[in-house]
Amino acid sequence: MALTQRLEFRQSQSLVMTPQLMQAIKLLQLSNLDLATFVEDELEKNPLLDRATDTPEAPVAGEPAMERGDVGGDDFGSGESGGEGGEFAAPDSFEPGTEEWMHRDLGSRSDIEQTLDTGMENVFPEEPAEAAARAAQDAAPSSYTEWGGGASSDEGYNLEAFVAAESSLADHLAEQLAVALTGQSERMIGQYLIDLVDEAGYLPADLGDAAERLGTTQAEVEAVVGVLQTFDPPGICARSLAECLAIQLRELDRFDPAMQALIEHLDLLAKRDVASLRKICGVDDEDLADMIGEIRHLDPKPGLKFGSSRVQTVVPDVFVRPGPDGGWLVELNSDTLPKVLVNQSYYSELSKTIRKDGDKSYFSDCLQNATWLVRALDQRARTILKVATEIVRQQDGFFTHGVAHLRPLNLKAVADAIQMHESTVSRVTANKYMATNRGTFELKYFFTASIASADGGEAHSAEAVRHHIRQLIDGEEPSAILSDDTIVEKLREAGIDIARRTVAKYREAMRIPSSVQRRRDKQSVLGAALTAADRSRDTAPA
């Protein structure tokens, strides 16, 4: 077969992932906070992209907004005159004669001295240094930066600069370290150990490497640890829960031999093995109950009082409200949608004055990117609304009756209904939240696995089965604790076909202890209630 060269034409279709298409796909899975950060970055980089405002007079972010009030008149516009309590006084509140001296001609210096019968320098004598200090104090600041507070420029007044900084646990311990230890080597060891303290206030259980890294002995490290454990808050710098509780009990002068034995057997306390604890501690039921009550009042994580991360409030992306016709109204949260516009007028002015090819290419790219971003944000909002509407339609029983009526749902069912790909639905439901009449849920919450029905009917949602298991356990009596096998039987009577290992898996995922542990807990609570009732009966007047 001879090798020859020839030209061929072929026609084919292929999907090309352009950078803009990849970015549009990325925008779908961003949360509202990440999306706002991305849009802010684009606003800084692209001069043709502007933040849209609801009204022409609305302020632009980053610039001080004009203050408006209900009071009119030019006399109150400057804000230089203040009355009592920091409020402006009305013009009628001044008496007729109070302002006459401001406009009266007092005459020359000699006339004033003759009227006062003394020299001007003798009326209010003032030293030169005091006069200079008074002049400097009375001088008004020329910019916001002179007021302090860290304002970077006169364009915006940073109120957050006046918020007190939150003290961290490391700073709090370092301040006490400077007072408690005077030796340089001891302070170095103490600072190293403070850096090892976690957010709960605990040191690592094994500090063997600390002495080797610091070039000191293990005895010196242990001595510094003992000093750190005397710091505030009580229980700090412990290496275990037992040591943390023991430090706090020593602070309260309650670490007697019985309490020490109880602290050394916290595993039995967790199992509610009251009989073994009573035997080990050598006390009766009443004293043991008092000791357990004291331990419950201690703080197992003392470090969380300092520098704890603030809880970020979940802002829903979609609102679901009951409609007037018995249905549901689904709408987007406009506060989470960035509003940007393409500044076409600015581009038109620039295109008339730009002469260099590089500048023309730059602004053409900026116009293209700005136009794409506006379209991508609009498409993202429409896609979220479409997916949320289909979820509400599929899970109508949940919104009407509750978790027990949550249906099995997967991504494919929603994707087929709205004619989109499963990957698109997966990206839309990531990091998005829906505010409903039953609370705020992540969109992925409504996608649950399917569990077959015992009678061959409609399948049950895994989340609904978990809810049913929790209801059964919450309603059990202390004398009739339900085992996993009993729960399986009751679920089958309700038409749910489920295996015992699945019940155990769901129970452990909901942090519900086993039947043995629940029996001990409820019997302990019942015994404590009976003991309290007996005490109140004994102390009641005859």
Side-chain angles (χ1 to χ4, degrees):
M1 181 178 178
L3 297 177
T4 60
Q5 295 181 350
R6 60 182 178 179
L7 296 176
E8 291 184 357
F9 290 95
R10 293 182 181 180
Q11 185 177 4
S12 62
Q13 293 181 350
S14 62
L15 179 63
V16 180
M17 295 290 292
T18 62
Q20 292 183 348
L21 181 58
M22 295 175 62
Q23 193 73 334
I25 294 175
K26 182 181 178 181
L27 288 180
L28 283 177
Q29 60 188 3
L30 293 180
S31 63
N32 48 36
L33 296 178
D34 295 335
L35 180 64
T37 303
F38 174 79
V39 172
E40 288 295 331
D41 294 340
E42 290 296 324
L43 286 170
E44 292 181 2
K45 295 187 298 183
N46 198 332
L48 300 181
L49 200 63
D50 287 344
R51 184 179 286 103
T53 55
D54 297 334
T55 59
E57 297 179 356
V60 178
E63 297 183 2
M66 295 180 59
E67 298 180 1
R68 295 186 180 181
D70 297 331
V71 188
D74 296 337
D75 294 335
F76 302 92
S78 61
E80 296 177 355
S81 301
E84 297 179 358
E87 299 179 356
F88 292 111
D92 296 339
S93 63
F94 292 97
E95 296 181 2
T98 55
E99 294 181 345
E100 294 181 359
W101 64 274
M102 299 178 63
H103 306 284
R104 183 182 303 170
D105 186 10
L106 299 180
S108 60
R109 178 183 179 91
S110 58
D111 296 336
I112 297 175
E113 291 179 349
Q114 184 177 1
T115 303
L116 298 176
D117 198 20
T118 184
M120 288 288 292
E121 63 276 3
N122 297 328
V123 179
F124 299 103
E126 193 172 44
E127 296 294 334
E130 295 178 354
R134 184 180 299 276
Q137 183 178 1
D138 293 341
S142 59
S143 64
Y144 285 133
T145 54
E146 297 185 18
W147 288 100
S152 58
S153 64
D154 295 343
E155 296 180 356
Y157 194 61
N158 185 15
L159 294 178
E160 294 182 356
F162 294 93
V163 179
E166 187 177 5
S167 177
S168 63
L169 177 61
D171 296 338
H172 184 68
L173 296 178
E175 293 176 358
Q176 302 176 70
L177 178 67
V179 179
L181 298 177
T182 57
Q184 189 67 25
S185 60
E186 294 176 345
R187 286 189 178 182
M188 182 185 66
I189 298 173
Q191 187 61 49
Y192 176 80
L193 295 176
I194 288 175
D195 295 337
L196 297 179
V197 177
D198 59 13
E199 60 179 6
Y202 285 84
L203 282 170
D206 186 13
L207 294 176
D209 297 339
E212 182 178 355
R213 290 187 176 185
L214 297 175
T216 183
T217 62
Q218 189 66 27
E220 293 181 356
V221 173
E222 292 293 336
V224 175
V225 170
V227 176
L228 295 179
Q229 290 179 351
T230 61
F231 288 178
D232 179 76
I236 203 69
C237 296
R239 287 162 287 189
S240 63
L241 176 61
E243 188 176 21
C244 177
L245 299 179
I247 294 172
Q248 298 180 54
L249 290 171
R250 290 193 188 97
E251 186 78 15
L252 299 174
D253 197 16
R254 283 291 295 119
F255 196 65
D256 51 19
M259 187 67 77
Q260 182 178 0
L262 179 60
I263 294 298
E264 292 175 354
H265 296 83
L266 290 178
D267 54 339
L268 298 178
L269 180 59
K271 297 178 181 178
R272 302 280 184 172
D273 194 352
V274 179
S276 300
L277 289 175
R278 185 172 58 248
K279 181 178 179 181
I280 293 174
C281 298
V283 294
D284 55 11
D285 291 338
E286 184 177 353
D287 292 338
L288 183 61
D290 293 339
M291 294 165 61
I292 295 176
E294 291 181 12
I295 291 179
R296 286 178 176 174
H297 285 85
L298 301 178
D299 189 0
K301 297 180 179 180
L304 296 182
K305 298 178 180 178
F306 298 87
S308 58
S309 59
R310 297 181 180 180
V311 178
Q312 181 66 40
T313 305
V314 174
V315 180
D317 299 88
V318 182
F319 292 116
V320 178
R321 297 181 290 107
D325 55 350
W328 301 96
L329 299 178
V330 183
E331 59 181 356
L332 294 175
N333 185 4
S334 59
D335 294 338
T336 62
L337 300 176
K339 303 177 181 63
V340 291
L341 293 175
V342 181
N343 196 337
Q344 295 283 358
S345 59
Y346 183 46
Y347 177 74
S348 300
E349 295 178 1
L350 288 175
S351 60
K352 298 176 183 179
T353 57
I354 294 177
R355 296 292 182 267
K356 296 182 180 180
D357 294 338
D359 295 342
K360 290 182 179 180
S361 176
Y362 169 74
F363 283 104
S364 297
D365 293 340
C366 290
L367 179 63
Q368 184 179 2
N369 293 334
T371 305
W372 162 82
L373 181 60
V374 172
R375 293 178 180 175
L377 292 176
D378 181 69
Q379 184 64 30
R380 176 183 180 273
R382 293 177 184 272
T383 307
I384 293 175
L385 183 60
K386 186 181 296 186
V387 173
T389 303
E390 182 61 25
I391 291 176
V392 172
R393 191 185 69 83
Q394 295 274 3
Q395 300 290 359
D396 178 76
F398 165 80
F399 298 99
T400 306
H401 304 289
V403 183
H405 295 266
L406 194 64
R407 296 176 51 193
L409 185 64
N410 53 26
L411 297 174
K412 188 177 186 303
V414 176
D416 293 342
I418 62 177
Q419 298 181 355
M420 287 187 176
H421 198 269
E422 295 181 34
S423 61
T424 303
V425 178
S426 177
R427 292 185 177 93
V428 170
T429 55
N431 304 316
K432 311 295 188 306
Y433 293 87
M434 177 185 294
T436 69
N437 57 330
R438 300 190 178 276
T440 302
F441 301 91
E442 190 177 7
L443 293 185
K444 287 189 177 294
Y445 172 82
F446 299 99
F447 297 90
T448 58
S450 175
I451 296 179
S453 177
D455 53 3
E458 187 178 358
H460 301 273
S461 169
E463 190 65 31
V465 174
R466 293 191 191 96
H467 179 70
H468 200 160
I469 293 174
R470 181 178 291 278
Q471 283 185 330
L472 291 175
I473 294 177
D474 291 342
E476 63 186 4
E477 297 293 335
S479 58
I481 301 298
L482 301 177
S483 63
D484 291 344
D485 293 328
T486 307
I487 294 176
V488 170
E489 295 177 0
K490 289 185 174 294
L491 290 176
R492 286 179 179 174
E493 293 175 358
I496 302 174
D497 187 11
I498 189 172
R500 180 186 178 278
R501 63 178 179 273
T502 308
V503 172
K505 182 181 69 173
Y506 287 171
R507 176 179 52 77
E508 293 174 358
M510 293 185 292
R511 299 182 180 274
I512 298 177
S514 63
S515 58
V516 178
Q517 186 65 34
R518 296 201 308 272
R519 183 178 292 106
R520 289 177 178 174
D521 293 345
K522 295 191 176 183
Q523 288 179 353
S524 176
V525 173
L526 181 61
L530 294 176
T531 303
D534 294 338
R535 291 179 183 176
S536 61
R537 190 181 302 110
D538 295 339
T539 57

